[in-house]
Amino acid sequence: MQPKILAIISARGGSKGVPRKNIKELAGKPLIAWTIEAANKSKYITRTILSSEDREIIDIAKKYGCEVPFVRPRELAQDDTPGIGPVLHAIEQCPGYDYVVLLQPTSPLRTVADIDSCIEYIIEQRAKFCVSVTEPEKSPYWMYTLEDKTIKPLIEQKQLTTRRQDLPSVYALNGAVYVGETSWLQKTKSFITDETIGYIMEKSHSYDIDTEEDFSFCEWKIRENQNHY
């Protein structure tokens, strides 16, 4: 029996890096539309909903086929609101699902294949949580802190390695897909636990929009991909 899966697209009105980011036009449609359309193509997601306090975001999400069963309380839409807060609130408003998938609108290059593969992986592995990760551009083994103007390695190594292929493989959260068993998420109040597994996504799908430069780059990537078809 296929599990019931609730996808939550979390999008508040306030954004500092790029004003009105979630509804800013990206390659011909609002940023949030790219995530809604990918979620709606999933073969596993039972229901896709929006969590937002912003009327304009709500109207645009509905236009692109996303259900909006409630309006997010203003106290859960502040700059300092923990990201898990709106997710737990949405679960309370829409109970009865085995898994929850959090999809942030700021990952427009994430595909339906990425979403479905992450869901398949958590079910196959019988894990409680699964999050998407990607290899970072720069390894933390090559990073340093500055202490009294002197560089100190972020990660101590027995022997300094100069070849990338000799370094351990490392991965960073890319913010694209978070999946968790609903009951466990309500207990832990976090997708990141000691038992969370990682689904590796391609770098080309892993760009997260935080600045105008990110926005311009993602638009270029989408236009480039469209020209290939």
Side-chain angles (χ1 to χ4, degrees):
M1 188 175 180
Q2 188 163 308
K4 293 181 67 178
I5 300 175
L6 177 69
I8 301 168
I9 299 174
S10 182
R12 67 187 186 94
S15 57
K16 292 182 177 179
V18 182
R20 306 297 291 160
K21 174 171 59 180
N22 289 316
I23 53 175
K24 182 178 170 70
E25 188 170 294
L26 175 73
K29 65 185 78 169
L31 175 61
I32 196 170
W34 294 95
T35 293
I36 293 170
E37 290 178 350
N40 284 342
K41 292 175 185 174
S42 170
K43 58 187 175 183
Y44 299 117
I45 292 172
T46 310
R47 183 185 187 190
T48 300
I49 66 167
L50 173 78
S51 171
S52 182
E53 88 296 353
D54 188 277
R55 179 50 59 185
E56 191 176 7
I57 293 176
I58 289 171
D59 290 343
I60 289 173
K62 286 180 178 178
K63 177 183 174 183
Y64 281 89
C66 186
E67 188 181 343
V68 188
F70 58 84
V71 176
R72 189 198 300 186
R74 289 276 174 187
E75 60 268 23
L76 290 177
Q78 304 304 310
D79 288 341
D80 58 353
T81 300
I84 196 65
V87 176
L88 296 172
H89 172 262
I91 292 171
E92 291 175 0
Q93 303 304 307
C94 303
Y97 293 88
D98 303 301
Y99 292 89
V100 172
V101 181
L102 172 63
L103 301 173
Q104 302 185 115
T106 48
S107 298
L109 304 184
R110 169 228 301 113
T111 67
V112 62
D114 293 320
I115 296 170
D116 283 352
S117 295
C118 198
I119 292 171
E120 287 172 359
Y121 193 46
I122 190 174
I123 293 172
E124 287 170 1
Q125 298 297 314
R126 298 185 178 181
K128 297 179 177 69
F129 302 99
C130 182
V131 298
S132 57
V133 298
T134 194
E135 288 193 72
E137 290 294 329
K138 297 291 185 182
S139 171
Y141 285 91
W142 283 345
M143 294 181 182
Y144 296 82
T145 59
L146 277 175
E147 297 177 18
D148 295 325
K149 301 179 183 178
T150 305
I151 63 170
K152 305 292 183 184
L154 181 65
I155 300 173
E156 292 288 347
Q157 299 181 63
K158 293 180 180 177
Q159 182 177 345
L160 186 63
T161 303
T162 56
R163 299 198 313 164
R164 185 180 179 90
Q165 58 264 42
D166 293 334
L167 295 171
S169 296
V170 295
Y171 300 92
L173 296 175
N174 66 1
V177 189
Y178 297 80
V179 187
E181 282 192 13
T182 307
S183 59
W184 280 100
L185 186 59
Q186 288 176 305
K187 291 175 185 175
T188 62
K189 297 179 171 50
S190 177
F191 287 98
I192 310 301
T193 73
D194 291 341
E195 298 178 86
T196 300
I197 62 173
Y199 165 71
I200 302 172
M201 263 176 64
E202 293 180 29
K203 288 181 185 177
S204 60
H205 296 180
S206 297
Y207 293 98
D208 180 66
I209 291 181
D210 193 45
T211 65
E212 291 284 1
E213 185 178 15
D214 297 333
F215 213 98
S216 297
F217 179 80
C218 285
E219 182 150 39
W220 173 76
K221 286 289 292 183
I222 290 171
R223 297 289 190 196
E224 184 185 48
N225 291 339
Q226 290 172 339
N227 290 337
H228 285 167
Y229 295 100

